[in-house]
Amino acid sequence: HGAAELDETGTEALPRRTPAPAWLPTAKGEEGDFCLRSSDCAAGLCCARHFWSKICKPVRREGQVCTRHRRKGSHGLEIFQRCQCAEGLACRLQRE
């Protein structure tokens, strides 16, 4: 245990990589798929909280509602998160 194996030439053999477990997704998640982080989701999607799990949701496009940011120090748990705005867009207050 703990000793390195030697190959036929007498040099240390590199450890063999095992294949990824079958339960790991091979493709990026689509909208509504469970995720752990945004990199688990396909392009144009982010990983956001939905109830007590996280799913891939679309990033905000022009004209869509933005997430309301609470004051600093307020750590209320949002059970329905929205994604950030798409690249080049920013949220702004809309006057009625």
Side-chain angles (χ1 to χ4, degrees):
H1 183 252
E5 291 186 34
L6 300 179
D7 66 12
E8 294 174 356
T9 62
T11 59
E12 189 175 318
L14 296 174
R16 292 186 182 183
R17 291 186 62 135
T18 56
W23 55 267
L24 281 178
T26 55
K28 298 284 187 172
E30 296 299 322
E31 188 172 345
D33 289 346
F34 290 102
C35 57
L36 294 175
R37 60 194 65 82
S38 291
S39 61
D40 296 337
C41 301
L45 302 173
C46 82
C47 188
R49 197 174 297 107
H50 188 81
F51 286 111
W52 292 271
S53 60
K54 293 175 94 175
I55 63 171
C56 296
K57 294 182 177 184
V59 296
R60 303 284 89 201
R61 299 285 175 202
E62 189 169 355
Q64 292 182 316
V65 176
C66 296
T67 298
R68 247 189 250 170
H69 292 285
R70 299 173 189 257
R71 291 185 203 157
K72 287 186 178 183
S74 173
H75 298 289
L77 180 64
E78 294 178 74
I79 62 171
F80 296 108
Q81 283 181 324
R82 292 186 179 110
C83 292
Q84 71 281 3
C85 293
E87 193 172 327
L89 298 178
C91 289
R92 66 179 183 162
L93 185 61
Q94 183 176 357
R95 305 263 182 220
E96 312 250 6

